[in-house]
Amino acid sequence: MPFADFNFFDYISNIIDILLVWYVIYKILMIIRGTKAVQVLKGIIVILIVRNLSIFLGLGTLNWIMEQAIDWGFLALIIIFQPEIRRALEQLGRGKLFSRGTMHEEEEQSRIIDAIVKATSYMAKRRIGALISIERETGLSDYIETGIALNSKISSELLINIVIPNTPLHDGAVILQKDQVAAAACYLPLSESPFISKELGTRHRAALGISEVTDSLTIIVSEETGAISLTKNSELHRDLKIDQFKEMLEKEFMISMNKQASSSIWNWRVKKRG
């Protein structure tokens, strides 16, 4: 093509067009991730592959069936996913469609904090001893393997049921990993620090011990007094009021989220440069 016919603005426009299409596709994939729409998407891909193979191999009947499935399939999809389509259009009208990923993370974080606070408050009022460790950047897999695997979604009801006295999972620590209760009845390393108060029991020593070797947050509810304590980075914060406890959790969860976001951006830049 002669240089005189080259239009710089058309070139930029094409690049922007491609980038926007890829961005929209990416956001749609993020929205449907973890929903039943993923399985439907896989089915559509299989149908398209079979249709192209039937054309290539000259299989007329199979090709006709695939064409009918495609022609009527889109109408069926509109009917099946009518609630999801309506919800997406509502979010688009509110300007929330493309911020759903971040919003979902914040909502999930808030739900987990509320579940932990509710369960801890219940235990403290009834003086139910508990030891709950929350995994952050340093993995706790070695300690998870010492307990009973649960891999269940975090809820206040589940946490309370686990620590109720005289139940099989009562003794030991509960370990939370991401949005799951990974395991219960886990063994944590006891701190050997000579500066620990003699009045503190095994739970507090275990909480300090795990905080000395990992960056986890560990919650302790005293069986004797119902006092709430929290350990992090070898520090023990004792006798927390429920509001103080919630505020500390929110602060630490926010720090973890910011670190994950920074790490994701850094990894993306490294891959781009590489």
Side-chain angles (χ1 to χ4, degrees):
M1 184 174 74
F3 184 77
D5 296 335
F6 177 77
N7 190 322
F8 178 75
F9 291 104
D10 286 344
Y11 179 73
I12 295 298
S13 177
N14 289 335
I15 292 177
I16 293 173
D17 188 25
I18 293 170
L19 290 175
L20 285 174
V21 169
W22 275 110
Y23 180 74
V24 170
I25 292 173
Y26 168 76
K27 280 297 182 180
I28 291 172
L29 290 175
M30 290 299 100
I31 289 171
I32 68 174
R33 182 180 58 179
T35 68
K36 61 183 179 181
V38 175
Q39 302 302 322
V40 175
L41 182 61
K42 290 178 181 178
I44 292 171
I45 292 172
V46 170
I47 289 173
L48 292 174
I49 292 172
V50 171
R51 178 178 178 272
N52 290 328
L53 284 174
S54 66
I55 293 172
F56 179 75
L57 298 174
L59 305 175
T61 305
L62 183 59
N63 180 41
W64 180 84
I65 294 172
M66 291 299 103
E67 285 182 351
Q68 296 304 308
I70 292 170
D71 290 342
W72 294 99
F74 288 106
L75 179 60
L77 288 177
I78 293 172
I79 296 171
I80 293 170
F81 292 103
Q82 183 264 338
E84 286 81 0
I85 294 171
R86 186 181 65 231
R87 194 179 307 119
L89 291 174
E90 289 174 355
Q91 290 177 352
L92 182 62
R94 298 192 206 105
K96 296 181 179 179
L97 180 62
F98 297 114
S99 61
R100 182 175 171 183
T102 304
M103 286 178 60
H104 177 71
E105 289 180 7
E106 292 177 355
E107 288 172 0
E108 184 65 11
Q109 175 182 287
S110 178
R111 186 193 68 79
I112 291 171
I113 291 172
D114 288 342
I116 294 172
V117 171
K118 183 180 177 181
T120 304
S121 176
Y122 181 96
M123 300 166 197
K125 288 176 181 177
R126 291 159 180 79
R127 297 188 180 184
I128 299 172
L131 183 61
I132 303 171
S133 193
I134 305 170
E135 181 186 84
R136 297 209 283 181
E137 289 187 36
T138 307
L140 299 178
S141 297
D142 290 344
Y143 306 104
I144 290 171
E145 289 174 0
T146 65
I148 307 299
L150 296 177
N151 298 320
S152 303
K153 191 172 183 179
I154 295 172
S155 69
S156 58
E157 292 80 7
L158 177 59
L159 292 174
I160 291 167
N161 277 329
I162 289 171
V163 300
I164 291 294
N166 303 318
T167 57
L169 300 179
H170 170 67
D171 291 325
V174 179
I175 297 181
L176 308 185
Q177 191 177 53
K178 296 180 179 178
D179 63 342
Q180 291 191 325
V181 179
C186 301
Y187 294 99
L188 301 184
L190 299 180
S191 174
E192 298 181 0
S193 172
F195 303 106
I196 298 176
S197 173
K198 299 297 183 183
E199 66 185 34
L200 297 180
T202 305
R203 285 194 182 91
H204 289 81
R205 285 186 172 275
L208 275 169
I210 194 67
S211 74
E212 290 169 355
V213 294
T214 72
D215 63 347
S216 63
L217 293 176
T218 303
I219 303 157
I220 314 103
V221 179
S222 172
E223 195 169 358
E224 289 76 21
T225 64
I228 301 170
S229 303
L230 186 143
T231 63
K232 61 168 187 169
N233 301 325
S234 304
E235 298 175 354
L236 174 62
H237 302 267
R238 297 181 62 186
D239 300 328
L240 298 172
K241 302 296 183 184
I242 197 67
D243 292 338
Q244 293 175 309
F245 173 64
K246 184 176 182 180
E247 186 178 339
M248 286 189 71
L249 275 186
E250 288 174 341
K251 181 180 177 182
E252 294 301 324
F253 269 70
M254 185 59 67
I255 291 171
S256 296
M257 261 190 89
N258 291 338
K259 282 184 178 180
Q260 288 175 6
S262 300
S263 176
S264 298
I265 293 171
W266 171 253
N267 290 336
W268 179 80
R269 286 177 177 173
V270 169
K271 288 179 181 179
K272 185 178 178 183
R273 289 173 184 171

